[in-house]
Amino acid sequence: MDKILYHGTFLTMAENRPEPEAVLIRDGVIGGTGTLEEMRKLAPDGMLRDMEGHTVLPGFIDGHSHLSAVAYQLLVANLKPSPLGPCNCVEDVVRELKGFLETHSLRPGQWLMGMGYDNSVFPEGAHPTKEDLDRVSTEIPVAAAHISGHLCVVNTKGMELLGYTGEHFKVPQGGVVESAGLLKEQAFLGKNGEMQGPAPEEVVKAVGDASKLYASYGLTTVHDGKVPEGQYQLLKGAAAMGLLKNDVVMYLAPELADQLLTGPGPEALAAKGYEHHLRPAGVKLFLDGSPQGKTAWLSEPYYVVPDGEQPDYRGFPVQSEAYVMDVMRTCVKNRWQINVHANGDEAIEQMIRCYQSVLEETGSDRDLRPVVIHCQTVREDQLARMKEIGMVASFFLDHVYYWGDYHYESVLGPERAERISPARSALKHGVSFTLHQDSPVAPPDVMGAVHNAVNRKTEKGRVLGQEQTITVMEALKAVTLNGAYQIFEEDKKGSIEVGKTADFAVLERNPLTVPKEEIREIKVLETIKSGETIFRR
């Protein structure tokens, strides 16, 4: 049945930004915009829906996250610090893991896992150790993952099962194993498959719960980054069961891309559409780690280097130059879009250098929109070169709020911290950018991301880089129009215009008129996907 939405403030995000009185939905698509009288003429039998004065935007589009990991986090111990969780010191971590073990039955061989501890808020900034986790259990493997997702502490039993004991154990390239049980980058990420977690049927159900969680924040299109074979089967199963309420774009691990990414390019993948709300969209590659974990690859040393490191420590790469070139060459030759995790400016330099070399080598002039995920310490000269290549930036502005003070005082120091995630500079250089929260690192709270892009205020109240703030409209564009452009769906999503999918986020207040300090407080009242409500508060 046709539906007519009226009596709302419609922020269409269209080029000339008209604010129609009513919007017609027909067969899941926007069939018209204009006055209520005009829409009733187009659909005389259409169902009228009074929006009660609330603000209606295009459905929000996630710039980057990990849907599967969000699902997984719902099934393990929450080790995040306040206000996201209960753990503000090592003793809290131990207590939460013990409590989880007492209240949950683990299958034979299953690891006890927790996610989200943040040593930057702990006294002295110390990570938990294997001895701390041995106090939870010495008989079963225990793992506590860092909030960045790039570090993990395991107990003695876990170290044994992963093969990290004895004098001459092998560490995966791009990884570090510390004697206290701290695993960095590939030493942890490359061993994920050996850490047996919750049962598959539990995780599939949790994917549906995660999809609903995203919908509660107004997200109608969601990302899942670096999907390997097992995760792909998980998502495919959840999709077939009808558990996905939002569209989900997958960026695949390079080894899976050959099997799934067929066709003439990213625009063709987008045109082919979704199967049960799921589609492959490109390839994901990691080049470095996390700034708050001090594993991001910088061109200059960390302001306060980690204990045990040399004064010139500046993080490290996680892939060899030859491997990066090979993956990028394959992507360009096959016309696959690539998303590259690069936080540090040296990692960003590697991406620009390698991608530019591949373009010159292949002679490609295709519009492939390579994406720099996080792009946190990108320099002005790099933004100019990104524009020339056609690269897109996706900024994690929540870093300003959650870790801005830590960046200022310990990670980067005052000067570099002032311009993390430089959205204003990206606008100046004409680089298209989106916003994201890298969930499960932070909740997929889109209005929180908009708030942080506009205010750039840290948890302690410090304004971090006033000159890098952007307007509310510019931030809203980043989570709608730019989000659609990043995934080659600008002809279908991102604005309220005739012919586009009827995806909407309904807000209790208008972010253009509330005081900018209150943007994060705006609640999503309803999320509409293809004309059907998938969330209502």
Side-chain angles (χ1 to χ4, degrees):
M1 174 184 286
D2 291 342
K3 301 175 187 176
I4 300 172
L5 310 184
Y6 74 101
H7 186 209
T9 299
F10 295 94
L11 301 183
T12 65
M13 307 307 295
E15 190 64 34
N16 55 356
R17 296 179 188 148
E19 292 189 7
E21 183 183 342
V23 173
L24 169 64
I25 301 173
R26 174 171 289 164
D27 298 325
V29 174
I30 298 169
T33 63
T35 66
L36 178 57
E37 182 180 359
E38 289 169 336
M39 295 306 101
R40 296 193 71 171
K41 285 181 180 178
L42 287 175
D45 298 322
M47 182 185 75
L48 294 177
R49 171 75 193 280
D50 186 347
M51 303 312 291
E52 301 177 353
H54 298 307
T55 299
V56 183
L57 284 95
F60 296 143
I61 299 173
D62 171 27
H64 169 74
S65 71
H66 307 271
L67 173 66
S68 301
V70 171
Y72 198 82
Q73 189 175 65
L74 296 174
L75 302 174
V76 302
N78 179 13
L79 306 182
K80 290 183 177 180
S82 58
L84 303 176
C87 295
N88 296 304
C89 64
V90 171
E91 287 304 313
D92 290 345
V93 171
V94 173
R95 183 197 67 238
E96 287 301 309
L97 287 168
K98 282 183 176 179
F100 193 90
L101 183 59
E102 291 171 358
T103 56
H104 293 74
S105 297
L106 302 183
R107 294 173 292 115
Q110 183 177 346
W111 287 54
L112 170 61
M113 295 185 175
M115 296 173 65
Y117 86 84
D118 185 358
N119 66 298
S120 73
V121 305
F122 292 176
E124 309 301 325
H127 293 270
T129 65
K130 65 183 181 185
E131 288 79 16
D132 291 319
L133 300 193
D134 284 344
R135 290 192 282 137
V136 179
S137 177
T138 57
E139 298 177 356
I140 63 173
V142 181
H146 189 263
I147 193 165
S148 67
H150 289 258
L151 313 171
C152 184
V153 180
V154 299
N155 66 347
T156 300
K157 183 68 173 180
M159 292 283 277
E160 292 173 359
L161 291 176
L162 296 177
Y164 292 147
T165 56
E167 294 183 6
H168 304 294
F169 58 80
K170 184 178 180 181
V171 179
Q173 180 180 328
V176 174
V177 175
E178 295 188 0
S179 59
L182 180 63
L183 315 180
K184 298 183 177 181
E185 301 304 331
Q186 291 304 306
F188 159 50
L189 299 173
K191 293 282 190 175
N192 271 341
E194 299 179 31
M195 299 179 181
Q196 184 175 320
E201 59 270 20
E202 292 181 277
V203 185
V204 170
K205 179 181 180 299
V207 169
D209 294 335
S211 175
K212 294 175 184 176
L213 176 67
Y214 278 90
S216 72
Y217 289 105
L219 284 155
T220 51
T221 302
V222 176
H223 283 230
D224 204 330
K226 201 172 184 190
V227 174
E229 173 67 28
Q231 201 167 304
Y232 168 66
Q233 295 300 336
L234 168 70
L235 291 169
K236 189 176 179 182
M241 293 169 65
L243 298 178
L244 298 181
K245 304 305 178 186
N246 357 60
D247 286 341
V248 178
V249 288
M250 299 179 291
Y251 286 86
L252 309 172
E255 60 271 16
L256 186 60
D258 282 327
Q259 303 174 41
L260 299 182
L261 289 184
T262 57
E267 72 284 355
L269 286 170
K272 184 178 179 182
Y274 295 81
E275 185 174 354
H276 305 299
H277 291 296
L278 183 69
R279 78 171 178 90
V283 174
K284 172 72 182 296
L285 185 66
F286 281 87
L287 295 188
D288 72 343
S290 151
Q292 69 267 38
K294 296 190 178 180
T295 57
W297 188 20
L298 304 173
S299 62
E300 298 178 16
Y302 280 87
Y303 193 62
V304 177
V305 302
D307 289 343
E309 299 290 352
Q310 296 298 315
D312 62 350
Y313 173 79
R314 52 192 184 91
F316 51 89
V318 298
Q319 309 289 355
S320 69
E321 190 93 349
Y323 177 75
V324 175
M325 286 288 292
D326 186 55
V327 171
M328 289 186 173
R329 186 179 297 112
T330 300
C331 288
V332 170
K333 285 183 175 179
N334 288 286
R335 293 183 60 197
W336 298 341
Q337 186 187 33
I338 188 169
N339 282 15
V340 176
H341 170 113
N343 267 305
D345 61 328
E346 197 64 33
I348 297 167
E349 187 67 27
Q350 185 182 41
M351 179 183 180
I352 296 172
R353 178 178 66 250
C354 291
Y355 204 86
Q356 182 66 55
S357 295
V358 168
L359 291 180
E360 293 170 359
E361 175 188 315
T362 60
S364 173
D365 60 355
R366 299 289 188 179
D367 176 22
L368 299 179
R369 301 177 197 175
V371 184
V372 188
I373 299 295
H374 308 321
C375 205
Q376 190 157 170
T377 58
V378 66
R379 304 189 306 261
E380 295 290 324
D381 65 294
Q382 292 174 328
L383 284 167
R385 289 150 64 206
M386 285 171 60
K387 172 61 177 176
E388 292 175 4
I389 295 172
M391 287 183 171
V392 175
S394 190
F395 292 126
F396 186 2
L397 261 299
D398 281 32
H399 262 275
V400 172
Y401 178 74
Y402 290 114
W403 298 287
D405 295 306
Y406 188 53
H407 285 323
Y408 189 95
E409 297 162 5
S410 181
V411 178
L412 298 171
E415 185 177 347
R416 284 181 292 173
E418 287 282 337
R419 63 177 314 280
I420 60 171
S421 303
R424 174 57 58 192
S425 289
L427 283 169
K428 181 182 73 173
H429 287 281
V431 174
S432 180
F433 67 88
T434 60
L435 303 180
H436 68 263
Q437 275 131 334
D438 201 19
S439 303
V441 176
D445 180 2
V446 177
M447 293 312 298
V450 170
H451 176 100
N452 289 324
V454 170
N455 291 281
R456 290 186 68 97
K457 187 172 287 189
T458 71
E459 195 169 14
K460 291 182 180 178
R462 174 187 284 124
V463 176
L464 197 63
Q466 177 67 44
E467 70 282 357
Q468 291 298 340
T469 59
I470 59 177
T471 68
V472 178
M473 182 57 76
E474 288 164 344
L476 291 174
K477 182 178 178 181
V479 297
T480 53
L481 280 170
N482 293 5
Y485 175 82
Q486 179 177 306
I487 59 173
F488 289 83
E489 293 189 43
E490 64 268 31
D491 61 332
K492 301 176 183 177
K493 298 176 180 177
S495 61
I496 301 175
E497 297 182 87
V498 175
K500 291 195 173 185
T501 305
D503 291 353
F504 307 103
V506 183
L507 308 182
E508 63 170 351
R509 292 188 287 168
N510 185 345
L512 297 180
T513 59
V514 302
K516 68 176 185 177
E517 295 79 15
E518 298 178 14
I519 293 172
R520 72 161 67 252
E521 299 171 16
I522 299 175
K523 290 183 174 61
V524 175
L525 300 179
E526 185 177 5
T527 304
I528 299 171
K529 179 80 189 83
S530 300
E532 301 296 328
T533 297
I534 60 172
F535 167 78
R536 181 177 281 122
R537 189 170 296 281

